[in-house]
Amino acid sequence: MYTNVKAFKSKLVLFSRQMSNKSFAHFPTLAVQKEAARCAKKYCKSLDDLHREFCRRFCDFEKIEKSLQLVSWPLSQDPESALQELQLELIDLQSDSVSKQKFKSLKLNDFYASLNETTFPNLRRTAQKMLVLFGSTYVCEQTFSVMKINKAHHRSKLTDQHLRSVLRIATTKLTPDFDALAKKGDQQHCSH
């Protein structure tokens, strides 16, 4: 996610610079419009405003960029530029051919989970902090979307308890055992 945001911000700078020179190479539909050159300044301002807004919204990433890079590419990081508590672990990791192979073959979260907890405690903890940022953001957005869909104005009779239940079902990875639930239901007898 971070690399996509960073790339998009760079593209906005490129687009704005080219737009100010009335170059529409990345906007072929705009290039064929008669008023494109006349409105270039307005489009350039819109691109600059969008870039500023992205910078404002994602300014926190700049504070953790070194940690993100370290977690994403631990084998190519300079140990001296890392935090002191990570330096020795980083050297051990970069010197271990088995770890290098695991890094190439596993997904990032699986790679860090495979590291020995006693040998690499600080590296694992740093990776967990960085990797959980994006997973938790996704879960929050997913939950909000489910809530918004279910709490629409035409479903105004949903209580908070109903909504809690809907959110729990929508966000859980548990699969109910329908056969066991059906058997349990058969065992209950209603009195007349």
Side-chain angles (χ1 to χ4, degrees):
M1 182 176 116
Y2 174 65
T3 56
N4 290 335
V5 169
K6 190 174 177 181
F8 186 68
K9 285 169 39 178
S10 295
K11 288 176 185 178
L12 288 173
V13 171
L14 174 74
F15 294 159
S16 178
R17 193 176 314 118
Q18 289 179 346
M19 191 73 64
S20 67
N21 294 328
K22 296 180 176 55
S23 170
F24 307 107
H26 300 290
F27 300 96
T29 304
L30 184 60
V32 297
Q33 301 298 316
K34 293 176 184 173
E35 66 277 351
R38 186 172 40 89
C39 297
K41 195 173 190 176
K42 180 177 95 172
Y43 299 142
C44 189
K45 183 188 178 324
S46 295
L47 288 166
D48 290 341
D49 290 345
L50 184 59
H51 181 264
R52 257 192 308 284
E53 184 63 17
F54 258 75
C55 289
R56 186 186 68 76
R57 288 183 184 242
F58 294 100
C59 65
D60 291 342
F61 280 127
E62 292 171 16
K63 297 173 189 170
I64 60 169
E65 184 171 12
K66 283 181 76 171
S67 295
L68 285 169
Q69 287 177 350
L70 181 118
V71 169
S72 298
W73 303 104
L75 302 177
S76 61
Q77 298 300 311
D78 178 17
E80 287 189 40
S81 66
L83 295 173
Q84 287 183 347
E85 64 266 15
L86 298 174
Q87 291 175 341
L88 298 179
E89 292 180 23
L90 203 51
I91 290 170
D92 288 340
L93 181 71
Q94 292 173 352
S95 301
D96 184 7
S97 58
V98 173
S99 294
K100 286 181 183 180
Q101 189 57 41
K102 283 183 181 179
F103 182 77
K104 290 177 185 175
S105 63
L106 296 174
K107 291 191 320 188
L108 203 56
N109 57 331
D110 293 333
F111 165 73
Y112 282 106
S114 76
L115 291 179
N116 185 315
E117 206 166 334
T118 56
T119 310
F120 302 106
N122 296 317
L123 253 172
R124 283 175 51 105
R125 195 171 19 259
T126 300
Q128 287 170 345
K129 286 178 186 175
M130 292 300 114
L131 295 173
V132 76
L133 289 174
F134 303 102
S136 60
T137 301
Y138 171 76
V139 171
C140 289
E141 289 176 6
Q142 179 187 28
T143 304
F144 182 75
S145 294
V146 168
M147 185 177 74
K148 189 174 177 184
I149 290 167
N150 284 289
K151 190 96 172 164
H153 73 82
H154 59 277
R155 286 181 149 177
S156 59
K157 298 214 187 266
L158 275 179
T159 65
D160 287 343
Q161 181 58 39
H162 288 122
L163 188 56
R164 250 190 305 276
S165 298
V166 167
L167 289 175
R168 187 168 187 193
I169 291 168
T171 58
T172 188
K173 292 186 180 186
L174 298 175
T175 306
D177 185 353
F178 291 110
D179 292 334
L181 290 171
K183 286 179 185 175
K184 186 178 179 183
D186 288 345
Q187 292 172 357
Q188 295 176 353
H189 299 285
C190 298
S191 60
H192 296 281

